[in-house]
């Protein structure tokens, strides 16, 4: 039986890695992820986790150690944020290309400059095309659950890809809240020992990561693209098994009061629950509003999203981006949602807003303002994105 | 839902106060959040910590701007920062002070609020030998507003300070006894 515990979200995530019985942890401490690897280092030092904790001089080396260890057949965990992930970038791309199922807990934090230790999604969006499976948690329980499930998804023989679990820095990492923590044995049943497909072994030598000449590179990339697309049914299988075992159901696209809604706010991460409070408030006033959460970011859940948004009561989508695609469509989530709906005949209008950059708090009134922007678009049939001032930032000081 | 704001100075354990309160509430089956003001903390500088307690799932993750309760761990902070800023009408202020609640109401300019005061620094010096008032102030808080039971709170105090558990609990109980509430 899981035990309901008042625990810091970071510690719960580290506990998930312990319960998954990881073999190797390599990380370089960075705010706001710090407590996760601190706790794991302590567990290893105290003998409570039988793992190698590889200390390194940078995140670039941390990810290099993770990829090497994974290629040698180890179950591998790391955690980082912001600049740390940016410094890892070169090897992040390699982890997916080499099909090493490294599991990463990413405490989302803004990229510098100006220097910001606070939360937004510019770090993960910068890594959008690195080929990792990418999932968002919106509270502590989800961050713990999804970290556990990440091992099952990434290490599945049909997948063999690294997985990034996203959760908002500080807003989640530094909060103590009630989380149901499983018994170790329950997790041992759910996450069996990792059985690697091919292993670096001096007795039976293989090469991992050789040169891909023009004659093979395209085919290698096609295989990788197929692999991440084909991870979709496995992800849903794992979600399904988790729901069957533990009663909490996860979906690639989540909705709240969206069934008969006309306007929905679409977002990722911890903002979703706060937006739900705004939805309840507006529903009391008779407004038909709801939220849609893009939990799965890669592979992009095209079908699920179309099913929720197309040929339904929803007439207007307001996409909340937590970072800016400079000089492009204001935000990456907006861009992808619009693109996913492009060929649909019966589709809602989609407008974008940006908010919560670099730790700027989003107040309840500002969520209401986002729905009002949707209302205005629906009333006038005009998208403010078409206006000269392209980026609508909610909460911007004029 | 009750929203609580702790004012302290870096190193005084305001964050610990917020956490102990949340853990006790969670133990009682309630929903709770505890979080620090997110930033770079420095020893001695004014810091903030927050707790939310509710019978229902807490979805809000915004900052707390209109607290129901304000707790001030360090007496010097009242002059340094606007401690009652945003405090709800009829809210509660818990102060570390030798002065009584009546005097404070006048000084804070908030006759509408309830004030609890306790000489937490003296209690901490006598019982712990250091001017760390985080646990002591919780004693005054739960006397003025029984947000959580004494038992779960003492359980987490003992867990957090295993080597000085008895001293901390004695200081906590003294504050509970000695706090004046008006």
């Amino acid at each position: 039986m899981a035990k309901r515990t008042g625990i810091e979200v970071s510690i719960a995530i580290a506990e998930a890695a312990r319960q998954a019985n990881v073999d190797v942890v390599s990380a370089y401490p960075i705010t706001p992820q710090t407590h996760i690897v601190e706790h794991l280092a302590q567990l290893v030092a105290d003998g409570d986790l039988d793992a190698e904790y590889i200390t390194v001089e940078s995140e670039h080396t941390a990810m290099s150690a993770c990829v090497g260890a994974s290629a040698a057949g180890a179950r591998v965990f790391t955690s980082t944020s912001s600049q740390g992930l940016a410094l890892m970038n070169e090897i992040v791309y390699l982890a997916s290309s080499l099909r090493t199922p490294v599991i990463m807990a990413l405490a989302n934090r803004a990229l510098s400059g100006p220097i910001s230790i606070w939360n937004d999604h510019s770090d993960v969006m910068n890594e959008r095309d690195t080929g990792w499976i990418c999932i968002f948690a919106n509270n502590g329980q989800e961050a713990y659950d999804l970290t556990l499930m990440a091992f099952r998804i990434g290490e599945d023989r049909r997948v063999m890809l690294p997985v990034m679990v996203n959760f908002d820095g500080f807003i989640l990492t530094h909060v103590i809240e009630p989380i149901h923590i499983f018994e170790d044995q329950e997790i041992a049943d759910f996450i069996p020992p990792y059985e690697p497909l091919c292993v670096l072994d001096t007795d039976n030598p293989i090469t991992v990561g050789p040169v891909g000449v023009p004659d093979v590179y395209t085919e290698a990339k096609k295989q990788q693209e197929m692999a991440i697309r084909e991870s979709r049914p496995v992800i849903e299988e794992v979600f399904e098994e988790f729901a069957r075992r533990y009663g909490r159901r996860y979906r690639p696209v989540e909705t709240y009061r969206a069934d008969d809604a006309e306007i929905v706010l679409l977002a990722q991460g911890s903002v979703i629950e706060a937006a739900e409070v705004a939805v309840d408030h507006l529903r009391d006033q008779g407004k038909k509003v709801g939220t849609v959460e893009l939990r799965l970011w890669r592979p992009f859940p095209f079908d699920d999203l179309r099913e929720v948004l197309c040929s339904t009561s929803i007439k207007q989508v307001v996409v909340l981006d937590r970072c800016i695609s400079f000089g492009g469509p204001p935000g990456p989530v907006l861009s992808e949602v619009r693109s996913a709906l492009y060929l649909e005949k019966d589709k809602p209008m989609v407008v974008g807003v940006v908010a919560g950059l670099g730790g700027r708090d989003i107040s309840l009134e500002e969520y209401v303002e986002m729905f009002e922007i949707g209302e205005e678009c629906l009333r006038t049939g005009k998208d403010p994105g078409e206006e000269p001032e392209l980026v609508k930032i909610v909460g911007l000081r004029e | 839902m009750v929203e609580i704001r702790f004012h302290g100075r870096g190193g005084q354990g305001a964050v610990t106060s917020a956490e102990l309160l949340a853990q006790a509430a969670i133990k009682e089956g309630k929903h709770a959040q505890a979080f620090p003001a997110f930033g770079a903390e420095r020893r001695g500088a004014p810091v903030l910590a927050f707790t939310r307690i509710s019978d229902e799932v807490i979805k809000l993750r915004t900052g707390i701007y209109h607290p129901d309760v304000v707790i001030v761990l360090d007496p010097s902070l009242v002059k340094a920062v606007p401690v009652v800023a945003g405090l709800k009408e009829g809210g509660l202020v818990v102060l570390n002070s030798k002065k009584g609640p009546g005097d404070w109401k006048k000084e804070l300019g908030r006759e509408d609020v309830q004030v609890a005061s306790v000489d937490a620094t003296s209690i901490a010096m006598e019982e712990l030998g250091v001017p760390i008032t985080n646990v002591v102030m919780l004693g005054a808080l739960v006397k003025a507003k029984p947000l959580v039971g004494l038992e779960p709170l003492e359980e987490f105090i003992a867990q957090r300070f295993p080597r000085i558990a008895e001293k901390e609990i004695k200081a906590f109980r003294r504050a509970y006894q000695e706090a004046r509430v008006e």
Side-chain angles (χ1 to χ4, degrees):
Chain A
M1 272 294 287
K3 186 164 180 255
R4 186 175 182 274
T5 312
I7 187 169
E8 188 185 295
V9 174
S10 286
I11 306 302
I13 291 164
E15 280 294 302
R18 180 189 65 78
Q19 293 181 313
N21 199 16
V22 294
D23 301 310
V24 172
V25 177
S26 187
Y28 188 81
I30 183 167
T31 303
Q33 160 291 138
T34 319
H35 296 176
I36 299 171
V37 295
E38 237 175 47
H39 188 68
L40 282 166
Q42 190 71 54
L43 289 170
V44 173
D46 292 348
D48 293 327
L49 172 61
D50 182 16
E52 283 293 325
Y53 187 99
I54 306 175
T55 52
V56 287
E57 88 299 348
S58 77
E59 284 89 353
H60 187 278
T61 308
M63 185 48 71
S64 301
C66 287
V67 169
S70 183
R75 173 170 284 163
V76 181
F77 180 82
T78 189
S79 183
T80 193
S81 295
S82 178
Q83 306 308 113
L85 182 62
L87 184 56
M88 279 182 183
N89 175 266
E90 182 187 5
I91 316 298
V92 168
Y93 199 85
L94 265 172
S96 53
S97 303
L98 300 182
R99 309 287 297 274
T100 48
V102 175
I103 304 306
M104 180 197 292
L106 180 62
N108 298 122
R109 162 184 156 182
L111 285 171
S112 299
I115 296 168
S116 171
I117 59 168
W118 296 275
N119 164 248
D120 70 25
H121 289 175
S122 48
D123 56 1
V124 53
M125 292 304 160
N126 206 34
E127 305 292 318
R128 186 186 63 174
D129 295 333
T130 51
W132 284 51
I133 292 171
C134 193
I135 309 179
F136 280 84
N138 59 29
N139 59 39
Q141 185 71 59
E142 292 187 0
Y144 170 73
D145 291 351
L146 289 167
T147 302
L148 291 168
M149 283 188 270
F151 289 96
R152 280 288 305 273
I153 294 166
E155 293 174 357
D156 191 290
R157 280 284 172 91
R158 295 164 292 171
V159 178
M160 297 298 287
L161 284 169
V163 184
M164 204 180 274
V165 178
N166 292 265
F167 43 91
D168 288 320
F170 286 117
I171 298 172
L172 291 182
T173 53
H174 283 53
V175 177
I176 284 191
E177 60 184 53
I179 298 178
H180 291 87
I181 302 287
F182 297 112
E183 298 281 348
D184 289 355
Q185 190 53 48
E186 284 176 284
I187 297 309
D189 295 341
F190 179 60
I191 309 177
Y194 174 43
E195 287 177 24
L197 191 58
C198 42
V199 176
L200 285 177
D201 175 2
T202 46
D203 293 332
N204 300 288
I206 57 165
T207 302
V208 175
V211 172
V213 294
D215 194 38
V216 299
Y217 186 86
T218 306
E219 287 68 30
K221 289 293 118 178
K222 172 67 180 172
Q223 283 181 348
Q224 192 185 336
E225 163 64 4
M226 282 169 67
I228 192 161
R229 281 184 192 280
E230 286 167 7
S231 71
R232 264 305 295 281
V234 178
I235 293 168
E236 283 177 51
E237 252 177 62
V238 174
F239 283 177
E240 177 60 36
E241 187 185 331
F242 191 87
R244 214 172 46 239
R245 279 176 182 265
Y246 309 121
R248 279 191 297 281
R249 181 169 294 280
Y250 290 82
R251 296 177 183 83
V253 175
E254 309 271 4
T255 59
Y256 180 74
R257 301 186 85 167
D259 280 351
D260 65 335
E262 286 186 353
I263 304 171
V264 292
L265 184 71
L266 185 149
Q268 295 171 310
S270 66
V271 294
I272 276 291
E273 291 194 336
E276 288 174 7
V277 179
V279 164
D280 290 344
H281 174 72
L282 291 168
R283 282 270 178 180
D284 289 344
Q285 299 170 16
K287 307 220 167 174
K288 291 192 167 176
V289 293
T291 64
V292 175
E293 180 196 359
L294 207 47
R295 176 183 302 292
L296 188 60
W297 178 232
R298 284 294 184 274
F300 193 91
F302 292 100
D303 293 345
D304 298 76
L305 191 68
R306 287 176 190 139
E307 199 183 314
V308 167
L309 296 182
C310 299
S311 305
T312 62
S313 60
I314 297 168
K315 297 193 180 95
Q316 179 71 52
V317 182
V318 181
V319 175
L320 166 56
D321 265 290
R322 309 286 317 286
C323 77
I324 298 179
S325 170
F326 302 105
V333 184
L334 170 69
S335 162
E336 301 220 351
V337 169
R338 277 184 170 161
S339 163
L341 302 182
Y342 182 69
L343 290 173
E344 296 299 309
K345 286 200 176 64
D346 187 5
K347 58 176 180 262
M349 295 204 294
V350 183
V351 64
V353 296
V354 171
L357 298 183
R360 175 69 53 86
D361 205 8
I362 306 176
S363 69
L364 214 46
E365 293 74 20
E366 283 161 349
Y367 288 108
V368 171
E369 187 186 337
M370 293 173 204
F371 282 107
E372 285 168 357
I373 289 169
E375 250 179 345
E376 180 68 8
C377 292
L378 197 55
R379 195 177 60 77
T380 59
K382 266 172 81 180
D383 176 350
E386 304 295 329
E387 301 292 318
E389 197 195 349
L390 202 60
V391 187
K392 174 67 187 169
I393 300 181
V394 173
L396 180 74
R397 281 199 305 272
E398 298 290 351
Chain B
M1 182 160 63
V2 179
E3 296 184 312
I4 303 137
R5 183 173 71 209
F6 292 84
H7 290 265
R9 288 188 181 276
Q12 284 180 334
V15 177
T16 304
S17 299
E19 290 178 358
L20 290 170
L21 187 60
Q23 283 179 314
I26 292 165
K27 173 89 180 190
E28 288 184 338
K30 295 190 181 81
H31 294 273
Q33 283 175 353
F35 53 98
F38 309 136
E41 282 161 15
R42 306 178 315 283
R43 192 164 280 269
V47 297
L48 296 174
F50 305 92
T51 304
R52 284 192 172 102
I53 299 175
S54 175
D55 291 330
E56 286 163 31
V57 172
I58 302 170
K59 289 179 166 186
L60 266 191
R61 295 192 180 274
T62 57
I64 291 174
Y65 304 106
H66 301 288
D68 301 275
V69 180
V70 168
I71 301 168
V72 189
L73 268 55
D74 188 289
S76 71
L77 281 170
V78 180
K79 286 205 165 66
V81 292
V83 293
V84 291
L87 177 65
K88 276 189 193 138
E89 176 100 23
L92 167 68
V93 190
V94 186
L95 295 164
N96 170 9
S97 173
K98 287 187 167 72
K99 268 196 288 187
D103 297 336
W104 275 114
K105 280 192 195 186
K106 285 193 201 84
E107 195 160 335
L108 295 169
R110 288 288 300 264
E111 297 283 345
D112 65 297
V113 298
Q114 193 186 18
V115 175
S117 74
V118 67
D119 184 6
T121 305
S122 296
I123 295 176
M125 286 306 290
E126 285 162 28
E127 302 302 336
L128 310 170
V130 285
I132 305 292
T133 56
N134 54 354
V135 167
V136 186
M137 291 300 285
L138 286 175
L141 166 71
V142 290
K143 179 170 190 182
K145 200 171 172 75
L147 290 166
V148 294
L150 299 183
E151 211 171 291
L153 205 43
E154 288 183 0
E155 179 191 326
F156 285 102
I157 292 168
Q159 214 177 79
R160 182 66 69 103
F161 305 101
R163 277 177 296 181
I164 50 164
E166 269 176 43
K167 288 178 179 175
E168 289 280 6
I169 286 170
K170 190 172 171 215
F172 169 78
R173 286 183 183 166
R174 260 192 71 187
Y176 184 81
Q177 295 295 329
E178 293 173 24
R180 289 174 288 168
V181 187
E182 255 179 54

Short mmCIF file of all heavy atoms in Angstrom, two decimals, chain B residues 44-62:
data_model
loop_
_atom_site.label_atom_id
_atom_site.label_comp_id
_atom_site.label_asym_id
_atom_site.label_seq_id
_atom_site.Cartn_x
_atom_site.Cartn_y
_atom_site.Cartn_z
N GLY B 44 20.74 35.98 7.51
CA GLY B 44 20.51 37.30 8.08
C GLY B 44 19.57 38.18 7.28
O GLY B 44 18.98 39.10 7.82
N ALA B 45 19.42 37.91 5.99
CA ALA B 45 18.54 38.74 5.17
C ALA B 45 17.08 38.34 5.42
O ALA B 45 16.81 37.20 5.75
CB ALA B 45 18.89 38.56 3.70
N PRO B 46 16.15 39.31 5.25
CA PRO B 46 14.74 38.95 5.44
C PRO B 46 14.31 37.88 4.43
O PRO B 46 14.63 37.99 3.25
CB PRO B 46 14.00 40.27 5.17
CG PRO B 46 15.02 41.34 5.35
CD PRO B 46 16.33 40.73 4.94
N VAL B 47 13.64 36.83 4.92
CA VAL B 47 13.16 35.77 4.03
C VAL B 47 11.68 35.51 4.31
O VAL B 47 11.15 35.87 5.36
CB VAL B 47 13.94 34.44 4.21
CG1 VAL B 47 15.40 34.59 3.84
CG2 VAL B 47 13.81 33.91 5.63
N LEU B 48 11.05 34.87 3.34
CA LEU B 48 9.64 34.52 3.48
C LEU B 48 9.46 33.03 3.26
O LEU B 48 10.20 32.41 2.51
CB LEU B 48 8.80 35.26 2.42
CG LEU B 48 8.75 36.78 2.48
CD1 LEU B 48 8.00 37.32 1.27
CD2 LEU B 48 8.06 37.23 3.76
N ALA B 49 8.45 32.46 3.93
CA ALA B 49 8.05 31.08 3.65
C ALA B 49 6.54 31.04 3.79
O ALA B 49 5.95 31.91 4.44
CB ALA B 49 8.72 30.13 4.63
N PHE B 50 5.93 30.06 3.15
CA PHE B 50 4.47 30.04 3.08
C PHE B 50 3.91 28.65 3.35
O PHE B 50 4.55 27.64 3.03
CB PHE B 50 4.01 30.46 1.67
CG PHE B 50 4.55 31.79 1.23
CD1 PHE B 50 5.74 31.87 0.51
CD2 PHE B 50 3.89 32.96 1.54
CE1 PHE B 50 6.26 33.09 0.11
CE2 PHE B 50 4.39 34.20 1.14
CZ PHE B 50 5.58 34.26 0.42
N THR B 51 2.71 28.61 3.91
CA THR B 51 1.98 27.35 4.05
C THR B 51 0.53 27.58 3.63
O THR B 51 -0.04 28.62 3.95
CB THR B 51 2.01 26.85 5.51
OG1 THR B 51 3.36 26.74 5.95
CG2 THR B 51 1.34 25.48 5.64
N ARG B 52 -0.01 26.62 2.90
CA ARG B 52 -1.45 26.60 2.64
C ARG B 52 -2.01 25.33 3.28
O ARG B 52 -1.41 24.26 3.15
CB ARG B 52 -1.74 26.51 1.13
CG ARG B 52 -1.55 27.79 0.36
CD ARG B 52 -2.14 27.66 -1.05
NE ARG B 52 -2.14 28.93 -1.73
CZ ARG B 52 -1.24 29.29 -2.68
NH1 ARG B 52 -0.30 28.44 -3.06
NH2 ARG B 52 -1.30 30.47 -3.25
N ILE B 53 -3.16 25.45 3.94
CA ILE B 53 -3.82 24.28 4.53
C ILE B 53 -5.28 24.30 4.09
O ILE B 53 -5.93 25.35 4.14
CB ILE B 53 -3.72 24.29 6.06
CG1 ILE B 53 -2.26 24.25 6.51
CG2 ILE B 53 -4.47 23.08 6.66
CD1 ILE B 53 -2.06 24.37 8.02
N SER B 54 -5.78 23.17 3.65
CA SER B 54 -7.16 23.12 3.17
C SER B 54 -7.73 21.72 3.37
O SER B 54 -7.00 20.73 3.45
CB SER B 54 -7.20 23.48 1.69
OG SER B 54 -8.50 23.32 1.17
N ASP B 55 -9.07 21.66 3.45
CA ASP B 55 -9.72 20.34 3.51
C ASP B 55 -9.80 19.71 2.12
O ASP B 55 -10.05 18.53 1.98
CB ASP B 55 -11.13 20.47 4.10
CG ASP B 55 -11.08 20.84 5.58
OD1 ASP B 55 -10.09 20.44 6.24
OD2 ASP B 55 -11.99 21.52 6.06
N GLU B 56 -9.61 20.55 1.09
CA GLU B 56 -9.69 20.04 -0.27
C GLU B 56 -8.34 20.09 -0.97
O GLU B 56 -7.42 20.76 -0.51
CB GLU B 56 -10.72 20.86 -1.05
CG GLU B 56 -12.12 20.49 -0.62
CD GLU B 56 -13.17 21.49 -1.00
OE1 GLU B 56 -12.99 22.13 -2.04
OE2 GLU B 56 -14.15 21.60 -0.25
N VAL B 57 -8.24 19.39 -2.11
CA VAL B 57 -7.01 19.39 -2.88
C VAL B 57 -6.65 20.84 -3.23
O VAL B 57 -7.51 21.62 -3.62
CB VAL B 57 -7.18 18.56 -4.18
CG1 VAL B 57 -5.97 18.71 -5.08
CG2 VAL B 57 -7.42 17.09 -3.84
N ILE B 58 -5.36 21.17 -3.06
CA ILE B 58 -4.93 22.55 -3.33
C ILE B 58 -4.34 22.61 -4.74
O ILE B 58 -3.32 22.01 -5.02
CB ILE B 58 -3.88 23.01 -2.30
CG1 ILE B 58 -4.46 22.90 -0.87
CG2 ILE B 58 -3.43 24.44 -2.59
CD1 ILE B 58 -3.43 23.10 0.22
N LYS B 59 -5.02 23.33 -5.61
CA LYS B 59 -4.56 23.44 -6.99
C LYS B 59 -3.76 24.72 -7.22
O LYS B 59 -3.00 24.82 -8.16
CB LYS B 59 -5.75 23.42 -7.94
CG LYS B 59 -6.44 22.05 -8.01
CD LYS B 59 -7.62 22.13 -8.95
CE LYS B 59 -8.12 20.75 -9.33
NZ LYS B 59 -9.17 20.85 -10.36
N LEU B 60 -3.99 25.70 -6.34
CA LEU B 60 -3.32 26.99 -6.52
C LEU B 60 -1.83 26.86 -6.26
O LEU B 60 -1.42 26.29 -5.25
CB LEU B 60 -3.89 28.01 -5.54
CG LEU B 60 -5.02 28.91 -6.01
CD1 LEU B 60 -5.23 30.00 -4.97
CD2 LEU B 60 -4.71 29.53 -7.37
N ARG B 61 -1.03 27.41 -7.15
CA ARG B 61 0.41 27.41 -6.93
C ARG B 61 0.98 28.81 -7.12
O ARG B 61 2.17 28.98 -7.36
CB ARG B 61 1.08 26.42 -7.88
CG ARG B 61 0.66 24.99 -7.58
CD ARG B 61 1.50 23.98 -8.27
NE ARG B 61 1.05 22.65 -7.94
CZ ARG B 61 1.46 21.96 -6.88
NH1 ARG B 61 2.31 22.49 -6.04
NH2 ARG B 61 0.98 20.76 -6.66
N THR B 62 0.10 29.79 -7.05
CA THR B 62 0.57 31.17 -7.15
C THR B 62 1.17 31.55 -5.79
O THR B 62 1.02 30.83 -4.81
CB THR B 62 -0.61 32.10 -7.45
OG1 THR B 62 -1.60 31.93 -6.42
CG2 THR B 62 -1.25 31.77 -8.78
#
